[in-house]
């Protein structure tokens, strides 16, 4: 399954039309404040990221979904699963993540998309454990983690950027 419908969203694989709207999201300093090292991405770096996400789909059988509004077809960001290779201390692991354009914050879309991705991890991919890695201070993402039933497992530091991270986890064998 590479498409998931929720009441308000479609989670799907990436296409050529997604580059410009995703680049616009990645160019917003407020959005990117909590992503990677906090710097914005341009069109080329966004294209490289989407290419990596699609390669992960091909290699792992899961990845980050493009998330669009069902009513309008507008791309609002991404949500899905990825292997957090940048944080070797928690490997092997699969992480759930999300990033939405600022105009879509505070409407429950991140929780809705993340919940769908978590169900995909359990029901479609048979994973028994999923983590989420948030930057310390990103209370909105930590609220999504709580809504998913995830619990704080550890605090650590990003090995490349030196930023404080919080690793949340959920045992999907107990997920309801």
């Amino acid at each position: 399954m590479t498409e998931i419908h929720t009441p308000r969203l479609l989670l799907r694989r990436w296409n050529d039309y997604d580059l410009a709207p995703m680049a616009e999201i990645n160019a917003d300093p407020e959005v990117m404040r909590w992503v990677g090292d906090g710097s914005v991405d341009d069109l080329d770096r966004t294209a490289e990221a989407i290419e990596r996400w699609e390669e992960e789909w091909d290699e792992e059988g899961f990845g980050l979904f493009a998330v669009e509004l069902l009513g309008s077809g507008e791309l609002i960001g991404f949500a899905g699963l990825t292997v957090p290779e940048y944080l070797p201390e928690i490997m092997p692991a699969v992480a759930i993540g999300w990033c939405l354009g600022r105009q879509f914050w505070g409407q429950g879309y991140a929780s809705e998309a993340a919940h769908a991705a978590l169900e995909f991890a359990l029901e479609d991919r048979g994973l028994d454990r999923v983590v989420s890695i948030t930057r310390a201070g990103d209370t909105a993402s930590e609220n999504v983690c709580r809504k998913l039933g995830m619990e704080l497992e550890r605090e650590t530091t990003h090995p490349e950027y030196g930023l404080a991270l919080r690793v949340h986890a959920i045992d999907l064998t107990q997920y309801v």
Side-chain angles (χ1 to χ4, degrees):
M1 173 200 317
T2 55
E3 275 194 1
I4 300 172
H5 292 265
T6 72
R8 302 180 296 164
L9 305 172
L10 170 64
L11 284 70
R12 58 166 174 75
R13 297 282 296 264
W14 296 86
N15 65 50
D16 294 341
Y17 302 106
D18 297 326
L19 177 57
M22 194 67 224
E24 188 175 321
I25 293 168
N26 286 346
D28 183 338
E30 191 62 25
V31 171
M32 298 305 285
R33 171 182 176 197
W34 302 112
V35 179
D37 67 356
S39 62
V40 297
D41 284 344
D42 61 14
L43 192 69
D44 290 338
R45 287 185 59 184
T46 300
E48 291 168 4
I50 290 173
E51 187 177 324
R52 279 193 316 275
W53 300 338
E54 278 296 297
E55 287 172 2
E56 188 165 39
W57 272 105
D58 295 339
E59 293 169 8
E60 300 290 345
F62 57 76
L64 296 174
F65 291 99
V67 178
E68 70 177 52
L69 292 177
L70 274 178
S72 66
E74 181 178 10
L75 182 81
I76 67 170
F78 69 74
L81 306 171
T82 188
V83 177
E85 294 176 1
Y86 68 91
L87 199 57
E89 69 189 72
I90 66 167
M91 294 300 289
V94 174
I96 188 169
W98 51 86
C99 178
L100 303 181
R102 189 177 354 166
Q103 66 270 38
F104 305 106
W105 293 357
Q107 300 174 59
Y109 293 134
S111 295
E112 187 173 330
H115 181 78
L118 197 58
E119 285 185 354
F120 173 78
L122 173 65
E123 296 172 7
D124 200 70
R125 294 301 177 239
L127 299 176
D128 58 8
R129 182 175 182 276
V130 172
V131 300
S132 182
I133 304 159
T134 62
R135 291 257 306 273
D138 184 355
T139 55
S141 288
E142 291 204 1
N143 286 337
V144 173
C145 289
R146 276 191 288 283
K147 289 177 185 176
L148 294 175
M150 302 182 101
E151 296 181 2
L152 181 64
E153 185 175 87
R154 73 171 65 197
E155 295 184 359
T156 188
T157 303
H158 193 293
E160 184 179 351
Y161 307 133
L163 301 167
L165 301 176
R166 296 170 57 90
V167 179
H168 300 79
I170 186 168
D171 178 349
L172 293 179
T173 62
Q174 300 173 349
Y175 180 71
V176 179

